[in-house]
Amino acid sequence: MTIPFAGDTVDRAGERRTQPEWIEAAVASPEARGIVVGRSGVLLDGVAEAASDPWAPEQRTGSLGLARIEPGERAHVADPVAFLGVGADGAPLFALEAGDEDRLTDLRLAASVLSPEDAGLAAYAAALRNWHRSHRFCSRCGEPTRSGEAGHVRVCANGHQVHPRTDPVVIMLVVDNAADRVLLGRKADWPQRRYSALAGFVEPGETLEAAVAREVLEESGVTVTGTRYMASQPWPFPASLMLGFEADYAGGEARAADAELESVRWFSREELATAAGEGHDSPILLPPRLAIARHLIDGWLGARASQIKPRDR
Ligand SMILES: [Zn+2]
C-alpha cells in the first residue's frame, strides 16, 4: 500500500530545470499544466464531499483528480515559476498559487479522494508554494529574495541562497515483542478513544536514532533500543517529512511523562487487531489510513502474523 502523500511519480528533472532556456520552453509549451495550491488546500477537478471527520478511515481513494490548469490562466498566479517536474504523459508540471482560496479542498480531505500519484503531487506542490510564500526575505540579511532555478532556490541581493526547507519529524512504534504489545499515546484534543504512535521534531545536531530515543523517553518514560527505519511520508503542513521507525522496548514504566500527551499505554495484538478491523465496539480508534502511524501499526500486525504462521503449522 502506498503511504498517502508519498506517491508522486513525477520526474523532477533536476539537471534540466537549472537551464533557463529549457524552463522557458517548458513554461511556453502547450502541454504545460499547473497544479493550483493555496493556504487552504489544493484545486480538484470536482467537489470532494467533506466528511464529518476528514480523517475517517472509510473514505474512498481515487474518485477525483487534481485540476490541471494551463499556467497562463489569469485566475491563478504563476509567479514565481515553481516547476515540479515532467509528468508520466510528458507534460511539464508547475505549482500555481490560487487566486481564489474558496475553491480549494483541504489537503487531508484531498488525499482521501485522489489517486496516490495525485495526492503525492498535491503534497509536493503545496510544500513548494508554502516555502515561496514564507521565504520572501533573506534570513541572513533581511533583503528581499527572488526565485531562481525554476523555483527551487531563492537568492537575495547579497547573493545569499536558501533552498526549499523540509523539517524532519520522527514517528515511532515502540514494540515489546516479548509481550506482543505496542506503546501508543493520545493527545487531549484528538477525537475520543484515538491513540497513535509517539512522534516529535528532530533537533539540531541530533541523529534520527537519538531523536527517537529522546522523544520516547520524554513522552512516555520508556527507554528503547534497536531503532530501525521503516518508511517516510511527506507531510506538507507546512514542510515536514515524517520518518517512520520501529524501536524495541528496553525498560521503564509507561506513563504520560510530559504535558504533550494525556495518556500513554501498551496495547495488545488483540486490541490492535480489533481496532484495525474498525469494529465499532473497539475501545480505541487507530490513526486514519492517511497517517504513516497507521501504516506502522498495520505493518507490525501483518509482519508478525506472517512470521507466526509457519511456526504454528
Ligand atoms: Zn541575504
Short mmCIF file of all heavy atoms in Angstrom, two decimals, residues 264-290:
data_model
loop_
_atom_site.label_atom_id
_atom_site.label_comp_id
_atom_site.label_asym_id
_atom_site.label_seq_id
_atom_site.Cartn_x
_atom_site.Cartn_y
_atom_site.Cartn_z
N VAL A 264 -0.60 7.48 27.82
CA VAL A 264 0.33 6.60 27.11
C VAL A 264 0.11 5.22 27.68
O VAL A 264 0.11 5.05 28.91
CB VAL A 264 1.80 7.02 27.32
CG1 VAL A 264 2.75 5.99 26.74
CG2 VAL A 264 2.08 8.38 26.71
N ARG A 265 -0.10 4.22 26.83
CA ARG A 265 -0.26 2.86 27.37
C ARG A 265 0.06 1.79 26.32
O ARG A 265 0.15 2.07 25.12
CB ARG A 265 -1.66 2.65 27.93
CG ARG A 265 -2.81 3.04 27.02
CD ARG A 265 -4.09 2.37 27.41
NE ARG A 265 -4.04 0.95 27.06
CZ ARG A 265 -5.12 0.22 26.72
NH1 ARG A 265 -6.31 0.76 26.73
NH2 ARG A 265 -4.98 -1.05 26.39
N TRP A 266 0.24 0.57 26.82
CA TRP A 266 0.50 -0.57 25.94
C TRP A 266 -0.80 -1.12 25.40
O TRP A 266 -1.82 -1.12 26.10
CB TRP A 266 1.21 -1.67 26.72
CG TRP A 266 2.60 -1.31 27.15
CD1 TRP A 266 2.99 -0.93 28.40
CD2 TRP A 266 3.78 -1.31 26.35
NE1 TRP A 266 4.33 -0.67 28.43
CE2 TRP A 266 4.85 -0.90 27.18
CE3 TRP A 266 4.04 -1.61 25.01
CZ2 TRP A 266 6.16 -0.79 26.71
CZ3 TRP A 266 5.35 -1.49 24.55
CH2 TRP A 266 6.38 -1.09 25.40
N PHE A 267 -0.73 -1.62 24.15
CA PHE A 267 -1.88 -2.27 23.54
C PHE A 267 -1.48 -3.65 23.06
O PHE A 267 -0.42 -3.81 22.42
CB PHE A 267 -2.41 -1.44 22.36
CG PHE A 267 -3.06 -0.16 22.80
CD1 PHE A 267 -2.31 1.00 22.92
CD2 PHE A 267 -4.41 -0.12 23.13
CE1 PHE A 267 -2.90 2.18 23.34
CE2 PHE A 267 -5.00 1.05 23.56
CZ PHE A 267 -4.25 2.21 23.67
N SER A 268 -2.31 -4.62 23.36
CA SER A 268 -2.03 -6.00 22.93
C SER A 268 -2.34 -6.17 21.45
O SER A 268 -3.05 -5.35 20.85
CB SER A 268 -2.89 -6.98 23.73
OG SER A 268 -4.25 -6.84 23.34
N ARG A 269 -1.83 -7.24 20.89
CA ARG A 269 -2.13 -7.55 19.49
C ARG A 269 -3.63 -7.67 19.26
O ARG A 269 -4.15 -7.18 18.25
CB ARG A 269 -1.44 -8.88 19.11
CG ARG A 269 -1.81 -9.41 17.74
CD ARG A 269 -0.91 -10.56 17.36
NE ARG A 269 0.48 -10.13 17.38
CZ ARG A 269 1.09 -9.50 16.36
NH1 ARG A 269 0.42 -9.25 15.26
NH2 ARG A 269 2.34 -9.14 16.44
N GLU A 270 -4.35 -8.29 20.20
CA GLU A 270 -5.79 -8.47 20.04
C GLU A 270 -6.50 -7.12 19.99
O GLU A 270 -7.38 -6.90 19.16
CB GLU A 270 -6.37 -9.32 21.18
CG GLU A 270 -5.91 -10.78 21.19
CD GLU A 270 -4.42 -10.94 21.52
OE1 GLU A 270 -3.88 -10.12 22.29
OE2 GLU A 270 -3.80 -11.87 20.98
N GLU A 271 -6.12 -6.24 20.90
CA GLU A 271 -6.76 -4.91 20.92
C GLU A 271 -6.53 -4.18 19.60
O GLU A 271 -7.45 -3.56 19.05
CB GLU A 271 -6.19 -4.06 22.06
CG GLU A 271 -6.68 -4.44 23.43
CD GLU A 271 -5.97 -3.60 24.50
OE1 GLU A 271 -4.74 -3.74 24.65
OE2 GLU A 271 -6.67 -2.82 25.17
N LEU A 272 -5.30 -4.24 19.09
CA LEU A 272 -5.00 -3.51 17.86
C LEU A 272 -5.68 -4.16 16.66
O LEU A 272 -6.17 -3.47 15.76
CB LEU A 272 -3.48 -3.45 17.63
CG LEU A 272 -2.71 -2.59 18.62
CD1 LEU A 272 -1.24 -2.56 18.26
CD2 LEU A 272 -3.26 -1.16 18.64
N ALA A 273 -5.72 -5.50 16.63
CA ALA A 273 -6.36 -6.19 15.51
C ALA A 273 -7.85 -5.86 15.47
O ALA A 273 -8.43 -5.64 14.40
CB ALA A 273 -6.13 -7.69 15.61
N THR A 274 -8.48 -5.81 16.65
CA THR A 274 -9.90 -5.45 16.71
C THR A 274 -10.10 -4.03 16.20
O THR A 274 -10.99 -3.75 15.40
CB THR A 274 -10.41 -5.55 18.16
OG1 THR A 274 -10.17 -6.87 18.62
CG2 THR A 274 -11.90 -5.23 18.24
N ALA A 275 -9.25 -3.13 16.67
CA ALA A 275 -9.38 -1.72 16.26
C ALA A 275 -9.10 -1.57 14.76
O ALA A 275 -9.75 -0.78 14.08
CB ALA A 275 -8.43 -0.85 17.07
N ALA A 276 -8.13 -2.34 14.24
CA ALA A 276 -7.80 -2.25 12.81
C ALA A 276 -8.97 -2.75 11.96
O ALA A 276 -9.15 -2.30 10.84
CB ALA A 276 -6.54 -3.05 12.51
N GLY A 277 -9.74 -3.68 12.52
CA GLY A 277 -10.92 -4.17 11.81
C GLY A 277 -12.08 -3.19 11.89
O GLY A 277 -13.14 -3.45 11.35
N GLU A 278 -11.85 -2.05 12.56
CA GLU A 278 -12.83 -0.98 12.68
C GLU A 278 -14.13 -1.44 13.30
O GLU A 278 -15.21 -0.99 12.95
CB GLU A 278 -13.06 -0.30 11.32
CG GLU A 278 -11.95 0.68 11.00
CD GLU A 278 -11.54 0.65 9.53
OE1 GLU A 278 -12.40 0.32 8.71
OE2 GLU A 278 -10.37 0.92 9.23
N GLY A 279 -14.01 -2.39 14.22
CA GLY A 279 -15.19 -2.79 14.97
C GLY A 279 -15.68 -1.62 15.81
O GLY A 279 -14.88 -0.93 16.44
N HIS A 280 -16.97 -1.38 15.78
CA HIS A 280 -17.48 -0.21 16.49
C HIS A 280 -17.41 -0.39 18.01
O HIS A 280 -17.51 0.56 18.75
CB HIS A 280 -18.92 0.10 16.05
CG HIS A 280 -18.97 0.62 14.65
ND1 HIS A 280 -18.47 1.86 14.31
CD2 HIS A 280 -19.40 0.06 13.50
CE1 HIS A 280 -18.61 2.05 13.01
NE2 HIS A 280 -19.17 0.97 12.49
N ASP A 281 -17.24 -1.64 18.45
CA ASP A 281 -17.12 -1.87 19.89
C ASP A 281 -15.67 -1.76 20.36
O ASP A 281 -15.37 -1.96 21.52
CB ASP A 281 -17.70 -3.25 20.25
CG ASP A 281 -17.07 -4.35 19.41
OD1 ASP A 281 -16.38 -4.02 18.42
OD2 ASP A 281 -17.27 -5.53 19.73
N SER A 282 -14.76 -1.43 19.42
CA SER A 282 -13.36 -1.31 19.80
C SER A 282 -13.19 -0.19 20.82
O SER A 282 -13.72 0.90 20.63
CB SER A 282 -12.50 -1.03 18.57
OG SER A 282 -11.20 -0.69 18.98
N PRO A 283 -12.44 -0.48 21.89
CA PRO A 283 -12.25 0.58 22.89
C PRO A 283 -11.33 1.70 22.40
O PRO A 283 -11.28 2.75 23.00
CB PRO A 283 -11.60 -0.17 24.07
CG PRO A 283 -10.98 -1.37 23.45
CD PRO A 283 -11.82 -1.74 22.26
N ILE A 284 -10.61 1.47 21.31
CA ILE A 284 -9.75 2.55 20.78
C ILE A 284 -9.97 2.73 19.29
O ILE A 284 -10.42 1.83 18.59
CB ILE A 284 -8.25 2.30 21.02
CG1 ILE A 284 -7.79 1.02 20.30
CG2 ILE A 284 -7.93 2.28 22.48
CD1 ILE A 284 -6.32 1.02 20.01
N LEU A 285 -9.63 3.92 18.82
CA LEU A 285 -9.59 4.22 17.39
C LEU A 285 -8.14 4.35 16.99
O LEU A 285 -7.38 5.07 17.62
CB LEU A 285 -10.28 5.56 17.11
CG LEU A 285 -11.80 5.63 17.23
CD1 LEU A 285 -12.25 7.07 16.98
CD2 LEU A 285 -12.45 4.69 16.23
N LEU A 286 -7.77 3.65 15.92
CA LEU A 286 -6.41 3.78 15.41
C LEU A 286 -6.32 5.05 14.56
O LEU A 286 -7.34 5.59 14.15
CB LEU A 286 -6.07 2.55 14.57
CG LEU A 286 -5.93 1.25 15.35
CD1 LEU A 286 -5.48 0.14 14.42
CD2 LEU A 286 -4.95 1.41 16.49
N PRO A 287 -5.09 5.52 14.29
CA PRO A 287 -4.96 6.66 13.39
C PRO A 287 -5.55 6.31 12.02
O PRO A 287 -5.58 5.13 11.63
CB PRO A 287 -3.45 6.89 13.30
CG PRO A 287 -2.81 5.72 13.94
CD PRO A 287 -3.80 5.03 14.80
N PRO A 288 -6.03 7.31 11.27
CA PRO A 288 -6.63 7.05 9.96
C PRO A 288 -5.59 6.54 8.97
O PRO A 288 -4.40 6.69 9.18
CB PRO A 288 -7.16 8.42 9.55
CG PRO A 288 -6.31 9.38 10.29
CD PRO A 288 -5.98 8.73 11.61
N ARG A 289 -6.07 5.96 7.89
CA ARG A 289 -5.16 5.37 6.90
C ARG A 289 -4.27 6.43 6.26
O ARG A 289 -3.25 6.11 5.67
CB ARG A 289 -5.96 4.63 5.82
CG ARG A 289 -6.69 3.46 6.40
CD ARG A 289 -7.26 2.53 5.34
NE ARG A 289 -8.16 1.57 5.97
CZ ARG A 289 -7.75 0.53 6.67
NH1 ARG A 289 -6.46 0.31 6.83
NH2 ARG A 289 -8.62 -0.29 7.22
N LEU A 290 -4.69 7.70 6.34
CA LEU A 290 -3.88 8.79 5.82
C LEU A 290 -2.54 8.90 6.53
O LEU A 290 -1.56 9.37 5.97
CB LEU A 290 -4.66 10.10 6.00
CG LEU A 290 -4.02 11.40 5.56
CD1 LEU A 290 -3.74 11.38 4.06
CD2 LEU A 290 -4.94 12.56 5.89
#
